Coordinates of all heavy atoms in Angstrom, one line a residue:
H1 N 0.8 -1.2 0.0 CA 0.0 0.0 0.0 C 0.8 1.3 0.0 O 0.3 2.4 0.1 CB -0.9 0.0 1.2 CG -1.9 -1.1 1.2 ND1 -2.9 -1.2 0.3 CD2 -2.0 -2.2 1.9 CE1 -3.6 -2.3 0.5 NE2 -3.1 -2.9 1.5
H2 N 2.2 1.1 -0.1 CA 3.0 2.3 -0.1 C 4.2 2.3 -1.0 O 4.9 3.3 -1.1 CB 3.5 2.6 1.4 CG 4.2 1.4 2.0 ND1 5.5 1.1 1.7 CD2 3.7 0.5 2.8 CE1 5.8 0.0 2.4 NE2 4.7 -0.4 3.1
D3 N 4.4 1.2 -1.7 CA 5.5 1.0 -2.6 C 5.0 1.3 -4.1 O 4.4 0.4 -4.7 CB 6.1 -0.4 -2.5 CG 7.3 -0.6 -3.4 OD1 7.4 -0.1 -4.5 OD2 8.2 -1.4 -2.9
D4 N 5.4 2.5 -4.6 CA 4.9 2.9 -5.9 C 5.3 1.9 -7.0 O 4.4 1.6 -7.9 CB 5.4 4.3 -6.3 CG 4.7 5.4 -5.5 OD1 3.5 5.2 -5.1 OD2 5.4 6.4 -5.2
D5 N 6.5 1.5 -7.0 CA 7.0 0.6 -8.1 C 6.3 -0.7 -8.1 O 5.8 -1.2 -9.1 CB 8.5 0.4 -8.0 CG 9.3 1.7 -8.3 OD1 8.8 2.5 -9.1 OD2 10.4 1.8 -7.7
F6 N 6.2 -1.3 -6.9 CA 5.5 -2.6 -6.8 C 4.0 -2.4 -7.1 O 3.4 -3.2 -7.9 CB 5.6 -3.2 -5.4 CG 4.9 -4.4 -5.2 CD1 5.4 -5.7 -5.7 CD2 3.6 -4.4 -4.6 CE1 4.7 -6.8 -5.5 CE2 2.9 -5.6 -4.4 CZ 3.4 -6.8 -4.9
A7 N 3.4 -1.4 -6.6 CA 2.0 -1.2 -6.8 C 1.6 -1.0 -8.3 O 0.5 -1.5 -8.7 CB 1.5 0.1 -6.0
R8 N 2.4 -0.4 -9.1 CA 2.1 -0.2 -10.5 C 2.1 -1.6 -11.2 O 1.4 -1.7 -12.2 CB 3.2 0.7 -11.2 CG 2.9 2.1 -11.0 CD 3.8 3.0 -11.9 NE 5.2 3.0 -11.5 CZ 5.7 3.8 -10.5 NH1 4.9 4.6 -9.9 NH2 7.0 3.7 -10.2
R9 N 2.7 -2.6 -10.7 CA 2.7 -3.9 -11.3 C 1.6 -4.8 -10.8 O 1.5 -6.0 -11.3 CB 4.1 -4.6 -11.1 CG 5.3 -3.9 -11.7 CD 6.6 -4.7 -11.6 NE 6.9 -5.2 -10.3 CZ 7.7 -4.5 -9.4 NH1 8.2 -3.3 -9.7 NH2 7.9 -5.0 -8.2
T10 N 0.7 -4.3 -10.0 CA -0.4 -5.2 -9.4 C -1.6 -4.9 -10.2 O -1.7 -4.0 -11.1 CB -0.7 -4.8 -8.0 OG1 -1.2 -3.5 -7.9 CG2 0.6 -4.9 -7.1
R11 N -2.6 -5.7 -9.9 CA -3.9 -5.5 -10.6 C -4.5 -4.1 -10.4 O -5.4 -3.6 -11.1 CB -4.9 -6.5 -10.2 CG -5.4 -6.4 -8.7 CD -6.3 -7.4 -8.2 NE -5.7 -8.7 -8.1 CZ -6.2 -9.9 -8.5 NH1 -7.5 -9.9 -8.8 NH2 -5.5 -11.0 -8.3
F12 N -4.1 -3.4 -9.3 CA -4.6 -2.1 -9.0 C -3.9 -1.0 -9.8 O -4.3 0.2 -9.8 CB -4.5 -1.8 -7.5 CG -5.3 -2.8 -6.7 CD1 -4.6 -3.8 -6.0 CD2 -6.6 -2.9 -6.8 CE1 -5.3 -4.7 -5.2 CE2 -7.3 -3.8 -6.0 CZ -6.7 -4.8 -5.3
Q13 N -2.7 -1.3 -10.4 CA -1.9 -0.4 -11.2 C -1.5 0.9 -10.5 O -1.4 2.0 -11.1 CB -2.7 -0.1 -12.5 CG -2.9 -1.3 -13.3 CD -3.7 -1.0 -14.5 OE1 -4.4 0.0 -14.7 NE2 -3.7 -2.0 -15.5
G14 N -1.4 0.8 -9.2 CA -0.9 2.0 -8.4 C -1.3 1.7 -6.9 O -1.9 0.8 -6.5
V15 N -0.8 2.7 -6.1 CA -1.0 2.6 -4.7 C -2.4 2.8 -4.4 O -3.1 3.6 -5.0 CB -0.1 3.7 -4.0 CG1 -0.4 3.8 -2.5 CG2 1.4 3.4 -4.2
I16 N -2.9 2.0 -3.4 CA -4.3 2.2 -2.9 C -4.2 2.2 -1.4 O -3.3 1.8 -0.7 CB -5.2 1.0 -3.3 CG1 -4.7 -0.3 -2.8 CG2 -5.3 1.0 -4.9 CD1 -5.7 -1.5 -3.0
A17 N -5.3 2.7 -0.8 CA -5.4 2.7 0.7 C -5.8 1.3 1.1 O -6.4 0.5 0.4 CB -6.5 3.7 1.1
S18 N -5.4 1.0 2.3 CA -5.7 -0.3 2.9 C -7.2 -0.3 3.2 O -7.8 0.6 3.9 CB -4.9 -0.4 4.2 OG -5.5 -1.5 5.0
G19 N -7.9 -1.3 2.7 CA -9.3 -1.4 2.9 C -9.7 -1.4 4.4 O -10.6 -0.7 4.8
P20 N -9.1 -2.3 5.2 CA -9.4 -2.2 6.7 C -9.2 -0.9 7.3 O -9.9 -0.5 8.3 CB -8.5 -3.3 7.2 CG -8.3 -4.3 6.1 CD -8.2 -3.4 4.9
H21 N -8.2 -0.1 6.8 CA -7.9 1.2 7.4 C -9.1 2.1 7.2 O -9.6 2.8 8.1 CB -6.6 1.7 6.8 CG -6.2 3.0 7.4 ND1 -5.6 3.2 8.6 CD2 -6.3 4.3 6.9 CE1 -5.3 4.4 8.9 NE2 -5.8 5.1 7.9
I22 N -9.6 2.2 5.9 CA -10.7 3.0 5.6 C -11.9 2.5 6.4 O -12.7 3.3 6.9 CB -11.0 3.0 4.1 CG1 -9.8 3.5 3.3 CG2 -12.3 3.8 3.7 CD1 -9.4 4.9 3.6
M23 N -12.1 1.2 6.4 CA -13.2 0.6 7.1 C -13.3 1.0 8.6 O -14.3 1.2 9.2 CB -13.1 -1.0 7.0 CG -14.3 -1.7 7.5 SD -14.0 -3.5 7.2 CE -12.7 -3.8 8.3
C24 N -12.1 1.1 9.2 CA -12.1 1.6 10.6 C -12.6 3.0 10.8 O -13.4 3.2 11.7 CB -10.6 1.5 11.2 SG -10.0 -0.1 11.4
F25 N -12.2 3.9 9.9 CA -12.8 5.2 10.0 C -14.3 5.2 9.7 O -15.1 5.9 10.4 CB -12.2 6.1 8.9 CG -10.8 6.5 9.2 CD1 -9.7 6.1 8.4 CD2 -10.5 7.3 10.3 CE1 -8.4 6.4 8.7 CE2 -9.2 7.7 10.6 CZ -8.1 7.2 9.8
F26 N -14.7 4.4 8.8 CA -16.1 4.3 8.4 C -17.0 3.8 9.6 O -18.0 4.3 9.9 CB -16.2 3.3 7.2 CG -17.5 3.2 6.5 CD1 -18.4 4.3 6.4 CD2 -17.9 2.0 5.9 CE1 -19.6 4.2 5.7 CE2 -19.1 1.9 5.2 CZ -19.9 3.0 5.1
T27 N -16.5 2.7 10.2 CA -17.2 2.1 11.4 C -17.2 3.1 12.6 O -18.2 3.2 13.3 CB -16.5 0.8 11.8 OG1 -16.5 0.0 10.6 CG2 -17.3 0.1 12.9
S28 N -16.1 3.8 12.8 CA -16.0 4.7 13.9 C -17.0 5.8 13.9 O -17.4 6.4 14.9 CB -14.6 5.3 14.1 OG -14.3 6.2 13.0
M29 N -17.5 6.1 12.7 CA -18.5 7.2 12.5 C -19.8 6.7 13.3 O -20.5 7.6 13.9 CB -18.9 7.4 11.1 CG -17.8 8.0 10.2 SD -18.3 8.1 8.5 CE -19.8 9.0 8.6
V30 N -20.1 5.5 13.3 CA -21.3 5.0 13.9 C -21.2 5.2 15.4 O -22.1 5.8 16.0 CB -21.5 3.5 13.6 CG1 -22.7 2.9 14.4 CG2 -21.8 3.3 12.1
A31 N -20.1 4.7 16.0 CA -19.9 4.9 17.4 C -19.8 6.3 17.9 O -20.4 6.8 18.9 CB -18.6 4.1 17.9
T32 N -19.1 7.1 17.1 CA -18.9 8.5 17.4 C -20.3 9.3 17.5 O -20.6 10.0 18.4 CB -18.0 9.2 16.4 OG1 -16.7 8.6 16.5 CG2 -17.8 10.7 16.7
H33 N -21.1 9.0 16.5 CA -22.4 9.7 16.4 C -23.4 9.1 17.4 O -24.0 9.9 18.2 CB -23.0 9.6 15.0 CG -24.3 10.3 14.9 ND1 -24.5 11.6 14.9 CD2 -25.5 9.7 14.8 CE1 -25.8 11.9 14.8 NE2 -26.4 10.8 14.7
L34 N -23.6 7.8 17.4 CA -24.7 7.3 18.2 C -24.4 7.3 19.7 O -25.3 7.5 20.5 CB -25.0 5.8 17.7 CG -25.6 5.7 16.3 CD1 -25.8 4.2 16.0 CD2 -26.9 6.5 16.3
S35 N -23.1 7.2 20.1 CA -22.8 7.2 21.5 C -23.0 8.6 22.1 O -23.1 8.7 23.3 CB -21.4 6.7 21.7 OG -20.5 7.6 21.2
R36 N -23.1 9.6 21.3 CA -23.5 10.9 21.8 C -25.0 11.0 22.2 O -25.4 11.8 23.0 CB -23.2 12.0 20.7 CG -21.7 12.2 20.5 CD -21.5 13.3 19.5 NE -20.1 13.5 19.2 CZ -19.6 13.9 18.0 NH1 -20.5 14.3 17.1 NH2 -18.4 14.0 17.9
L37 N -25.8 10.1 21.6 CA -27.2 10.1 21.8 C -27.6 9.2 23.0 O -28.5 9.5 23.7 CB -27.9 9.7 20.5 CG -27.6 10.5 19.3 CD1 -28.3 9.9 18.1 CD2 -28.1 11.9 19.5
T38 N -26.9 8.0 23.0 CA -27.3 7.0 24.0 C -26.2 5.9 24.0 O -25.4 5.8 23.1 CB -28.6 6.3 23.6 OG1 -29.1 5.4 24.6 CG2 -28.5 5.5 22.3
P39 N -26.0 5.2 25.2 CA -25.1 4.1 25.1 C -25.4 3.1 24.0 O -26.6 2.9 23.7 CB -25.3 3.5 26.5 CG -25.8 4.6 27.4 CD -26.7 5.4 26.5
M40 N -24.4 2.6 23.4 CA -24.7 1.7 22.3 C -23.6 0.6 22.2 O -22.5 0.8 22.7 CB -24.8 2.4 20.9 CG -23.7 3.4 20.5 SD -22.2 2.7 19.7 CE -22.8 1.8 18.4
I41 N -23.9 -0.5 21.6 CA -23.0 -1.6 21.4 C -23.1 -2.1 20.0 O -24.2 -2.4 19.5 CB -23.4 -2.8 22.4 CG1 -23.4 -2.3 23.8 CG2 -22.5 -4.0 22.2 CD1 -24.0 -3.3 24.8
G42 N -22.0 -2.1 19.3 CA -21.9 -2.7 18.0 C -22.0 -4.2 18.0 O -21.3 -4.8 18.8
L43 N -23.0 -4.8 17.3 CA -23.2 -6.2 17.3 C -22.7 -6.9 16.0 O -22.2 -8.1 16.1 CB -24.7 -6.5 17.5 CG -25.3 -6.0 18.8 CD1 -26.8 -6.3 18.8 CD2 -24.6 -6.5 20.0
D44 N -22.8 -6.3 14.9 CA -22.4 -7.0 13.7 C -22.2 -5.9 12.6 O -23.0 -5.0 12.4 CB -23.6 -7.9 13.2 CG -23.2 -8.7 12.0 OD1 -22.1 -9.2 11.9 OD2 -24.1 -8.9 11.1
F45 N -21.1 -6.1 11.8 CA -20.8 -5.3 10.7 C -20.2 -6.1 9.6 O -19.5 -7.1 9.8 CB -19.8 -4.2 11.0 CG -20.3 -3.0 11.8 CD1 -20.3 -3.1 13.2 CD2 -20.9 -1.9 11.2 CE1 -20.9 -2.0 13.9 CE2 -21.4 -0.9 11.9 CZ -21.4 -0.9 13.3
S46 N -20.6 -5.8 8.3 CA -20.0 -6.5 7.2 C -19.8 -5.4 6.1 O -20.5 -4.4 6.0 CB -20.9 -7.6 6.7 OG -22.1 -7.1 6.2
F47 N -18.8 -5.7 5.2 CA -18.4 -4.7 4.2 C -18.1 -5.4 2.9 O -17.7 -6.6 2.9 CB -17.1 -4.0 4.7 CG -17.3 -3.2 6.0 CD1 -17.0 -3.9 7.2 CD2 -17.8 -2.0 6.0 CE1 -17.2 -3.2 8.4 CE2 -18.0 -1.3 7.2 CZ -17.7 -1.9 8.4
K48 N -18.3 -4.7 1.8 CA -17.9 -5.1 0.5 C -17.0 -4.0 -0.1 O -17.4 -2.8 -0.1 CB -19.2 -5.3 -0.4 CG -20.0 -6.5 0.0 CD -21.2 -6.7 -1.0 CE -22.0 -7.8 -0.5 NZ -23.2 -8.0 -1.4
F49 N -15.9 -4.5 -0.6 CA -14.9 -3.6 -1.2 C -15.2 -3.6 -2.7 O -14.9 -4.5 -3.4 CB -13.5 -4.0 -0.9 CG -13.2 -3.9 0.6 CD1 -13.3 -5.1 1.4 CD2 -12.9 -2.7 1.2 CE1 -13.1 -5.0 2.8 CE2 -12.7 -2.7 2.6 CZ -12.8 -3.8 3.4
L50 N -15.8 -2.5 -3.2 CA -16.3 -2.4 -4.6 C -15.2 -1.9 -5.5 O -15.2 -2.2 -6.7 CB -17.5 -1.6 -4.6 CG -18.6 -2.0 -3.6 CD1 -19.7 -1.0 -3.6 CD2 -19.2 -3.4 -4.0
A51 N -14.4 -1.0 -5.1 CA -13.3 -0.3 -5.9 C -12.3 0.2 -4.9 O -12.5 0.5 -3.8 CB -13.9 0.8 -6.7
P52 N -11.0 0.3 -5.4 CA -10.0 0.8 -4.5 C -10.1 2.3 -4.2 O -10.6 3.0 -5.0 CB -8.7 0.5 -5.3 CG -9.1 0.4 -6.8 CD -10.5 -0.1 -6.7
V53 N -9.6 2.6 -3.0 CA -9.5 4.0 -2.6 C -8.1 4.4 -2.9 O -7.1 3.9 -2.4 CB -9.8 4.2 -1.1 CG1 -9.7 5.6 -0.7 CG2 -11.2 3.7 -0.8
R54 N -8.0 5.4 -3.8 CA -6.6 5.9 -4.3 C -6.2 7.0 -3.4 O -7.0 7.8 -2.8 CB -6.8 6.4 -5.7 CG -7.3 5.3 -6.6 CD -6.3 4.8 -7.6 NE -6.8 3.7 -8.4 CZ -6.2 2.6 -8.6 NH1 -5.0 2.4 -8.0 NH2 -6.7 1.7 -9.3
P55 N -4.8 7.2 -3.3 CA -4.3 8.4 -2.6 C -4.8 9.7 -3.2 O -5.2 9.8 -4.4 CB -2.8 8.3 -2.8 CG -2.5 6.9 -3.3 CD -3.8 6.4 -4.0
D56 N -4.9 10.7 -2.4 CA -5.3 12.1 -2.8 C -6.7 12.1 -3.4 O -7.1 12.9 -4.2 CB -4.3 12.7 -3.8 CG -2.9 12.8 -3.2 OD1 -2.8 13.1 -2.0 OD2 -2.0 12.5 -3.9
T57 N -7.6 11.1 -2.9 CA -8.9 11.0 -3.4 C -9.8 11.6 -2.3 O -9.7 11.2 -1.1 CB -9.4 9.6 -3.6 OG1 -8.5 9.0 -4.7 CG2 -10.8 9.5 -4.0
T58 N -10.7 12.5 -2.6 CA -11.7 12.9 -1.6 C -12.9 11.9 -1.6 O -13.5 11.6 -2.6 CB -12.3 14.3 -2.1 OG1 -11.1 15.2 -2.1 CG2 -13.3 14.8 -1.1
I59 N -13.1 11.4 -0.4 CA -14.2 10.5 -0.3 C -15.3 11.0 0.7 O -15.0 11.9 1.5 CB -13.7 9.1 0.3 CG1 -13.0 9.2 1.6 CG2 -12.8 8.4 -0.8 CD1 -12.6 7.9 2.2
T60 N -16.5 10.5 0.6 CA -17.5 10.8 1.5 C -18.0 9.5 2.1 O -18.0 8.5 1.5 CB -18.7 11.5 0.9 OG1 -19.3 10.7 -0.2 CG2 -18.3 12.9 0.3
M61 N -18.4 9.6 3.4 CA -18.9 8.4 4.1 C -20.3 8.7 4.7 O -20.4 9.8 5.3 CB -17.9 8.0 5.2 CG -16.6 7.7 4.7 SD -15.5 7.2 6.2 CE -14.0 6.9 5.3
Q62 N -21.2 7.8 4.5 CA -22.6 8.0 5.0 C -23.2 6.7 5.5 O -23.0 5.7 4.9 CB -23.4 8.6 3.8 CG -24.8 8.8 4.2 CD -25.6 9.3 3.0 OE1 -25.4 8.9 1.9 NE2 -26.6 10.1 3.3
W63 N -23.8 6.8 6.6 CA -24.6 5.7 7.2 C -26.0 6.2 7.3 O -26.3 7.3 7.6 CB -24.1 5.4 8.6 CG -22.8 4.6 8.7 CD1 -21.6 5.1 8.9 CD2 -22.6 3.2 8.4 NE1 -20.6 4.1 8.9 CE2 -21.3 2.9 8.6 CE3 -23.5 2.2 8.1 CZ2 -20.8 1.7 8.5 CZ3 -23.0 0.9 8.0 CH2 -21.6 0.6 8.2
K64 N -27.0 5.2 7.1 CA -28.4 5.5 7.3 C -29.0 4.4 8.2 O -28.6 3.2 8.1 CB -29.2 5.4 6.0 CG -28.8 6.5 5.0 CD -29.6 6.3 3.7 CE -29.3 7.3 2.7 NZ -30.0 7.0 1.4
V65 N -29.8 4.8 9.1 CA -30.6 3.9 9.9 C -31.8 3.5 9.1 O -32.6 4.3 8.7 CB -31.1 4.5 11.3 CG1 -31.9 3.6 12.1 CG2 -29.9 5.0 12.1
V66 N -31.8 2.2 8.8 CA -32.9 1.7 7.9 C -34.0 1.0 8.6 O -35.1 0.8 8.1 CB -32.3 0.8 6.7 CG1 -31.4 1.6 5.8 CG2 -31.6 -0.4 7.3
R67 N -33.8 0.6 9.9 CA -34.8 -0.1 10.7 C -34.5 0.0 12.1 O -33.3 -0.1 12.5 CB -34.9 -1.5 10.2 CG -36.1 -2.3 10.8 CD -36.3 -3.6 10.2 NE -35.2 -4.5 10.6 CZ -35.4 -5.6 11.3 NH1 -36.6 -6.0 11.6 NH2 -34.4 -6.4 11.7
L68 N -35.5 0.2 13.0 CA -35.4 0.1 14.4 C -36.3 -0.9 14.9 O -37.5 -0.9 14.5 CB -35.7 1.5 15.0 CG -34.8 2.7 14.7 CD1 -35.3 4.0 15.2 CD2 -33.4 2.4 15.3
E69 N -35.8 -1.8 15.8 CA -36.7 -2.9 16.4 C -36.4 -3.0 17.8 O -35.3 -3.3 18.2 CB -36.4 -4.2 15.6 CG -37.3 -5.3 16.1 CD -37.0 -6.6 15.4 OE1 -36.6 -6.5 14.2 OE2 -37.1 -7.7 16.0
P70 N -37.4 -2.8 18.7 CA -37.2 -3.0 20.1 C -36.8 -4.5 20.4 O -37.3 -5.4 19.7 CB -38.6 -2.7 20.7 CG -39.3 -1.9 19.7 CD -38.8 -2.3 18.4
S71 N -36.0 -4.7 21.4 CA -35.6 -6.0 21.8 C -35.6 -6.1 23.3 O -34.8 -5.6 24.0 CB -34.1 -6.3 21.3 OG -33.7 -7.6 21.9
A72 N -36.7 -6.8 23.8 CA -36.8 -7.0 25.2 C -35.6 -7.9 25.8 O -35.1 -7.6 26.8 CB -38.1 -7.6 25.6
K73 N -35.2 -8.9 25.0 CA -34.2 -9.8 25.4 C -32.9 -9.0 25.6 O -32.1 -9.3 26.6 CB -34.0 -10.8 24.3 CG -32.9 -11.8 24.6 CD -32.7 -12.8 23.5 CE -31.5 -13.7 23.8 NZ -31.3 -14.7 22.7
L74 N -32.5 -8.1 24.7 CA -31.3 -7.3 24.8 C -31.4 -6.0 25.6 O -30.5 -5.3 25.7 CB -30.7 -7.1 23.4 CG -30.3 -8.3 22.6 CD1 -29.8 -8.0 21.2 CD2 -29.2 -9.1 23.4
R75 N -32.6 -5.7 26.0 CA -33.0 -4.5 26.7 C -32.5 -3.2 26.0 O -31.8 -2.4 26.5 CB -32.3 -4.5 28.1 CG -32.9 -5.7 29.0 CD -32.2 -5.7 30.3 NE -30.7 -5.5 30.1 CZ -29.8 -5.9 31.0 NH1 -30.2 -6.4 32.1 NH2 -28.6 -5.7 30.7
G76 N -33.1 -3.1 24.8 CA -32.8 -1.9 24.0 C -33.4 -2.0 22.7 O -34.4 -2.7 22.5
V77 N -32.9 -1.2 21.8 CA -33.4 -1.1 20.4 C -32.3 -1.5 19.4 O -31.2 -1.0 19.5 CB -34.0 0.3 20.1 CG1 -34.4 0.4 18.7 CG2 -35.1 0.7 21.1
L78 N -32.7 -2.5 18.6 CA -31.7 -2.9 17.5 C -31.9 -1.9 16.3 O -33.0 -1.6 15.9 CB -32.0 -4.3 17.0 CG -31.7 -5.4 18.1 CD1 -32.3 -6.7 17.6 CD2 -30.2 -5.5 18.4
A79 N -30.8 -1.3 15.9 CA -30.7 -0.4 14.7 C -30.0 -1.1 13.6 O -28.8 -1.4 13.7 CB -30.1 0.9 15.1
D80 N -30.7 -1.3 12.5 CA -30.0 -1.8 11.3 C -29.5 -0.6 10.5 O -30.3 0.3 10.2 CB -31.0 -2.6 10.4 CG -31.4 -3.9 11.1 OD1 -30.7 -4.4 12.0 OD2 -32.4 -4.5 10.6
L81 N -28.3 -0.7 10.0 CA -27.6 0.4 9.3 C -27.2 -0.1 7.9 O -26.8 -1.2 7.7 CB -26.4 0.8 10.1 CG -26.6 1.1 11.6 CD1 -25.2 1.3 12.3 CD2 -27.5 2.3 11.8
E82 N -27.2 0.9 7.0 CA -26.6 0.7 5.7 C -25.7 1.9 5.4 O -26.1 3.0 5.7 CB -27.7 0.6 4.6 CG -28.5 -0.7 4.7 CD -29.5 -0.8 3.6 OE1 -29.7 0.1 2.8 OE2 -30.2 -1.9 3.6
G83 N -24.5 1.6 4.8 CA -23.6 2.7 4.6 C -22.9 2.6 3.3 O -22.8 1.5 2.7
V84 N -22.3 3.7 2.9 CA -21.5 3.7 1.7 C -20.4 4.7 1.8 O -20.5 5.8 2.3 CB -22.3 3.9 0.4 CG1 -22.9 5.3 0.4 CG2 -21.6 3.6 -0.9
V85 N -19.2 4.3 1.2 CA -18.1 5.2 1.1 C -18.0 5.5 -0.4 O -18.0 4.6 -1.3 CB -16.7 4.6 1.5 CG1 -15.6 5.5 1.2 CG2 -16.8 4.2 3.0
R86 N -18.0 6.8 -0.8 CA -18.0 7.2 -2.2 C -16.9 8.1 -2.6 O -16.4 8.9 -1.7 CB -19.3 7.9 -2.6 CG -20.5 7.1 -2.6 CD -21.7 7.9 -3.1 NE -22.9 7.1 -3.3 CZ -23.8 7.0 -2.4 NH1 -23.7 7.5 -1.2 NH2 -24.9 6.2 -2.6
C87 N -16.5 8.1 -3.8 CA -15.7 9.1 -4.5 C -16.5 9.7 -5.5 O -16.9 9.0 -6.5 CB -14.4 8.5 -5.0 SG -13.4 9.7 -6.0
A88 N -16.9 11.0 -5.4 CA -17.9 11.6 -6.3 C -19.2 10.7 -6.1 O -19.6 10.5 -5.0 CB -17.4 11.7 -7.7
E89 N -19.7 10.2 -7.1 CA -20.9 9.3 -7.0 C -20.6 7.9 -7.1 O -21.4 7.0 -7.0 CB -21.9 9.7 -8.1 CG -22.6 11.1 -7.9 CD -23.3 11.2 -6.5 OE1 -24.0 10.3 -6.2 OE2 -23.0 12.2 -5.9
R90 N -19.3 7.5 -7.2 CA -18.9 6.1 -7.4 C -18.7 5.4 -6.0 O -17.9 5.9 -5.2 CB -17.6 6.1 -8.1 CG -17.1 4.7 -8.4 CD -15.8 4.7 -9.1 NE -15.5 3.3 -9.5 CZ -14.2 2.9 -9.8 NH1 -13.3 3.8 -9.8 NH2 -14.0 1.6 -10.0
P91 N -19.5 4.4 -5.8 CA -19.4 3.7 -4.5 C -18.1 2.9 -4.5 O -17.7 2.2 -5.5 CB -20.6 2.7 -4.5 CG -21.1 2.7 -5.9 CD -20.6 3.8 -6.6
L92 N -17.3 3.0 -3.4 CA -16.1 2.3 -3.2 C -16.2 1.1 -2.2 O -15.6 0.1 -2.4 CB -15.0 3.3 -2.8 CG -14.7 4.5 -3.6 CD1 -13.7 5.4 -3.0 CD2 -14.3 4.1 -5.0
I93 N -16.9 1.4 -1.1 CA -17.2 0.4 -0.1 C -18.6 0.5 0.4 O -19.1 1.6 0.6 CB -16.2 0.7 1.2 CG1 -14.8 0.6 0.8 CG2 -16.5 -0.4 2.3 CD1 -13.8 1.0 1.9
S94 N -19.3 -0.6 0.5 CA -20.6 -0.6 1.1 C -20.6 -1.4 2.4 O -19.7 -2.3 2.6 CB -21.7 -1.2 0.1 OG -21.4 -2.6 -0.1
G95 N -21.5 -1.0 3.3 CA -21.5 -1.7 4.6 C -22.8 -1.8 5.2 O -23.8 -1.1 4.8
R96 N -23.0 -2.8 6.0 CA -24.2 -3.0 6.8 C -23.8 -3.2 8.2 O -22.7 -3.8 8.5 CB -24.9 -4.3 6.3 CG -25.5 -4.1 4.9 CD -26.2 -5.4 4.5 NE -27.0 -5.2 3.3 CZ -28.2 -4.7 3.2 NH1 -28.8 -4.4 4.4 NH2 -28.8 -4.5 2.1
G97 N -24.7 -2.8 9.1 CA -24.3 -3.0 10.6 C -25.6 -3.1 11.4 O -26.7 -2.8 11.0
V98 N -25.4 -3.7 12.6 CA -26.5 -3.8 13.6 C -25.9 -3.3 14.9 O -24.8 -3.8 15.3 CB -27.0 -5.2 13.7 CG1 -28.1 -5.2 14.8 CG2 -27.6 -5.7 12.4
V99 N -26.5 -2.3 15.5 CA -26.1 -1.9 16.8 C -27.2 -1.9 17.8 O -28.4 -1.9 17.4 CB -25.5 -0.4 16.8 CG1 -24.3 -0.4 15.9 CG2 -26.5 0.6 16.3
L100 N -26.9 -2.1 19.1 CA -27.9 -2.0 20.1 C -27.9 -0.7 20.8 O -26.8 -0.3 21.3 CB -27.6 -3.2 21.1 CG -28.6 -3.2 22.3 CD1 -30.0 -3.5 21.9 CD2 -28.0 -4.2 23.4
L101 N -29.0 0.0 20.8 CA -29.1 1.3 21.5 C -29.8 0.9 22.8 O -30.8 0.3 22.8 CB -30.0 2.2 20.7 CG -29.6 2.4 19.2 CD1 -30.6 3.3 18.5 CD2 -28.2 3.0 19.1
T102 N -29.2 1.4 23.9 CA -29.6 0.9 25.2 C -29.5 2.1 26.2 O -28.9 3.1 25.9 CB -28.8 -0.3 25.6 OG1 -29.2 -0.8 26.9 CG2 -27.3 0.0 25.7
D103 N -30.2 1.9 27.3 CA -30.1 2.9 28.4 C -28.8 2.8 29.2 O -28.4 3.8 29.8 CB -31.3 2.8 29.3 CG -32.6 3.2 28.6 OD1 -32.6 4.0 27.7 OD2 -33.7 2.7 29.0
E104 N -28.3 1.6 29.3 CA -27.0 1.4 30.0 C -26.2 0.3 29.4 O -26.8 -0.6 28.8 CB -27.4 1.1 31.5 CG -28.2 -0.1 31.7 CD -28.6 -0.3 33.1 OE1 -28.4 0.6 34.0 OE2 -29.1 -1.4 33.4
L105 N -24.9 0.3 29.6 CA -24.1 -0.7 29.1 C -24.1 -1.9 30.0 O -24.4 -1.9 31.1 CB -22.6 -0.2 28.9 CG -22.5 0.9 27.9 CD1 -21.1 1.4 27.8 CD2 -22.9 0.4 26.5

């Protein structure tokens, strides 16, 4: 992810960002935002890497809450999330997640 000469000879034809590195920033958005509202616990996340993230690329990251479901068993509300990392309008990474919104940890 940092050797220009080697990277040019790969299928990516140049240096790219580490997928897990971008994924960490993407996932941290959920905790940063939701934990300001209520205690929350991340339960499940999955990602698809659709295209490489290139250096010096401006990206946008967005998550949407697509469903809320009360859970008596877990003592909170399950929030289903869908997200996307884009460069302009091109999707680079898509993600899904489930978090538990709760009154206490």
